[in-house]
Amino acid sequence: MPKTLLHRYTSSPRAFPLLASLYPPLLGSGIRIRHIAPDWTRGELSMHVAPWTANTNGTAFGGALFAATDVLYGALLSGQLGGGYQVWTKSATIDFRAPGRGRLRCVVDVPGPEADAIRERLADHPSTSVVHTAVVSDSRGTTVVEAQHTMFIRRKS
């Protein structure tokens, strides 16, 4: 059972997108979590880059969206693993490929077998790390940003 009302709502795949989108860094940058699958296996982030900013700093907007992908990946993984685990970002790298234009989108997948494999690894070890790749693309399908996150996961004491 979640400790507080906030914990209960953030542990719900229906309420999480709204609550996370109200988080000041996401709200201020226009990043929205559009969807979370009921089983926490998939989530989608998006943001809109205005045409007059696309040529000057559209790549930076792709970077901002990239920064939210570790939040989403961590939430999906935490949702599948359950309350007995802690997940956080250990490191990240980003490769800018093209200026962001129009609507930027990133779909993050955490297949059930991936979460099961992590759970099995943690049965024998107190912690583990996993590397996740996220791709941010524009409405034409052009890759704007490709990023890798190293996530640290451990069992709670």
Side-chain angles (χ1 to χ4, degrees):
M1 184 69 163
K3 298 178 210 177
T4 66
L5 189 62
L6 179 63
H7 285 94
R8 186 169 79 211
Y9 286 121
T10 57
S11 65
S12 161
R14 289 184 64 207
F16 183 81
L18 173 64
L19 290 173
S21 292
L22 293 174
Y23 178 56
L26 298 184
L27 183 63
S29 63
I31 296 169
R32 299 294 176 262
I33 296 176
R34 297 290 176 198
H35 174 74
I36 300 283
D39 60 356
W40 295 95
T41 56
R42 176 175 262 221
E44 180 181 337
L45 294 163
S46 71
M47 74 180 300
H48 183 76
V49 178
W52 58 88
T53 63
N55 292 330
T56 57
N57 62 358
T59 303
F61 288 111
L65 189 58
F66 145 77
T69 62
D70 67 332
V71 173
L72 183 56
Y73 182 75
L76 294 174
L77 199 52
S78 293
Q80 286 189 56
L81 293 174
Y85 301 88
Q86 292 178 321
V87 179
W88 66 85
T89 305
K90 186 175 177 181
S91 66
T93 60
I94 184 168
D95 184 17
F96 294 101
R97 301 271 176 91
R101 290 178 165 75
R103 179 151 314 272
L104 302 182
R105 179 176 182 256
C106 180
V107 175
V108 177
D109 289 313
V110 181
E114 181 179 337
D116 293 340
I118 292 168
R119 200 177 285 111
E120 286 175 22
R121 266 187 268 159
L122 290 172
D124 300 332
H125 300 77
S127 64
T128 189
S129 294
V130 295
V131 177
H132 176 261
T133 300
V135 176
V136 175
S137 57
D138 65 14
S139 57
R140 295 181 186 143
T142 303
T143 297
V144 175
V145 173
E146 185 171 311
Q148 286 194 332
H149 303 278
T150 301
M151 304 299 284
F152 183 80
I153 307 146
R154 72 179 186 140
R155 288 177 285 155
K156 286 184 182 177
S157 304

